[in-house]
Amino acid sequence: MAQTNSSLPTDFIRDIIDQHLHTNRFEGRVATRFPPEPNGYLHIGHAKSVCLNFGIAAQYDGACNLRMDDTDPSGESLEYVESIINDVRWLGFNWEDRLFYASDYFEQLYQCAVQLLKNGNAYICSLSAEEIREYRGTLTEPGKESPYRNRSIEENLDLFERMRAGEFEDGAHVLRAKIDMASPNITMRDPVLYRIKRATHYRTGVQWCIYPMYDFAHCLSDSIERITHSICTLEFENNRPLYDWILDQLKVNAHPQQIEFARLNLSYTVLSKRRLIELVGKGSVTGWDDPRIPTIAGMRRRGYTPEAIRNFCERIGVAKNDSIIDMALLEHCVREDLNERAPRVLGVLRPLRLVIDNYPEGQVEECDSPYHPQNPELGSRKVPFSRTLYIEQEDFMENPPKKFFRLAPGREVRLRYGYFIKCVSVVKNPNTGEVVEVHCTYDPETRSGFAPDGRKVDATIHWVSADHSVPAEVRLYDRLFRVANPMGEDDDFTKYLNSKSLETLTTCRLESSLKGTAPGSRYQFERLGYFCVDLKDSTSQRPVFNRVVTLRDSWAKMTRQEKK
RNA sequence: UGGGGUGUCGUCAAGCGGUAAGACACAGGUCUUUGGAACCUGGAUUCGGAGGUUCGAAUCCUCCCACCCCAGCCA
């Protein structure tokens, strides 16, 4: 076994699989599946599961199926199926011809239920939903057996057939497993296996009016597909005895091993389908692909790469501890990836006019600028330089504090890939006193940023030529919530929403090379962060950029700490 | 007061009876035409707590404590 390769992840699940391989359970096969219910969009928590299941399959030379767990027609739709397929593929995984649907197994599942009935392992219960709840007992008290528990096999079979035929109202009867109403594990107290539900299924239409429950459908779907390791999240741990019970009663020949791991939690956001639906529904965000939410669609639009997400999923590990991963790790993973591959460009988010008094009016120079100083393979482009430029407002201070070493009156700085410039005067708005224009002189000897006399400068700032720059909109995103764990108390999590999670800047100016850049392209705006051309709103006339993540900013950190 | 889980650095997480990996975060420093990147350095005398077994325990035993999940005809 090639377990010497230290780059392969190890975790308790892989340990179990190794065990199985040694003992030859499953004849050396490894088969997994990713089984989403198509009733919502995938998020980063699903990505963890996707990476785990497909990753294990690849590592052990097995296969991972993509299966829609579509046994509850209410809420499921083709739109979600399509988004799931799209997202898993985008993440970089391939299920080849193994896209399955639990709904394709409905007939087989029905026959299994009939078998259970014939074996006396299940019965048709005619208690109402409320009665079933009452009969179930509580956490500390055993339940009571249903009065319908001992119907004859013939009656059960007849009733079940008529349930399927649509002879009864929704809720009139259910199919229940006959297990143990006194079980300390509530899941085993005669769980409901089938319910009557007159709803149009997005795939089977009105063909069925009874639908199998998760516990019944899932283990059998796994078995049908000959899955060996059925990996799911911790909350299904209580269901494992039922998973095994059903397969045992039916004497199926493929009995997968269910293994549970802790679902992902991320700080400063929410990761449950329910909360995400609430945010989208209430209009707290613009939709399932809002770049502020951790859906795969949102992250894609924000500019995250599949590589970064996969790497993140590997680094967080797999265990059974309830945990909350620090958002900083996710941010680190994108930075790490984008640092490698994103071309560097110059863009000014909050422009401040800068005039170079001694630079000839009308003259334009082309500054050769590499796309990636550390990686010449990315090539270079020419950035036009002229008398009137824009610089970042925050790169100039009239009265700079001690450690601020950007532009200030009398100070000399370097314009990246341009010249050294020195501030000689400022123009202020007479009413507000705000500096609206900075005047500088440049040193013609310092072209491309070096002084022949060897003198140094404390800062290099970015800039853009006023006449040549392209106007753009830039959207700055911040954490969705003000607190690390908005679910800390189970009160209304929406009250912790960060009202400043989106800042839209409409007067940005970008270097001319960015004109007409393709949606989805990612760049580093030097000194600012990584940005991605918006997939939806960007036009060739007016580019719209989303900030993926800022650069690490030790100046910002300093100023933040001084405030404290 | 039932059952099932989990407790190792701020956050994740290795460790599987032989004397606490690694990552992120944090703190210092080197370097730098991005206050970026890269590189170096620092940090748990201690593993939820208390006992016990052992030459030796995060790892084994006992008791206790904390947190999570389960009473949908959701998954």
Side-chain angles (χ1 to χ4, degrees), chain A residues 167-178:
Chain A
E167 287 188 28
F168 309 112
E169 302 273 286
D170 286 14
H173 309 282
V174 291
L175 175 80
R176 288 230 254 169
K178 191 187 286 188

Side-chain angles (χ1 to χ4, degrees), chain A residues 71 136 154 202 394 552:
Chain A
T71 58
R136 188 150 34 220
E154 294 67 35
Y202 75 99
E394 59 180 33
R552 276 184 66 232

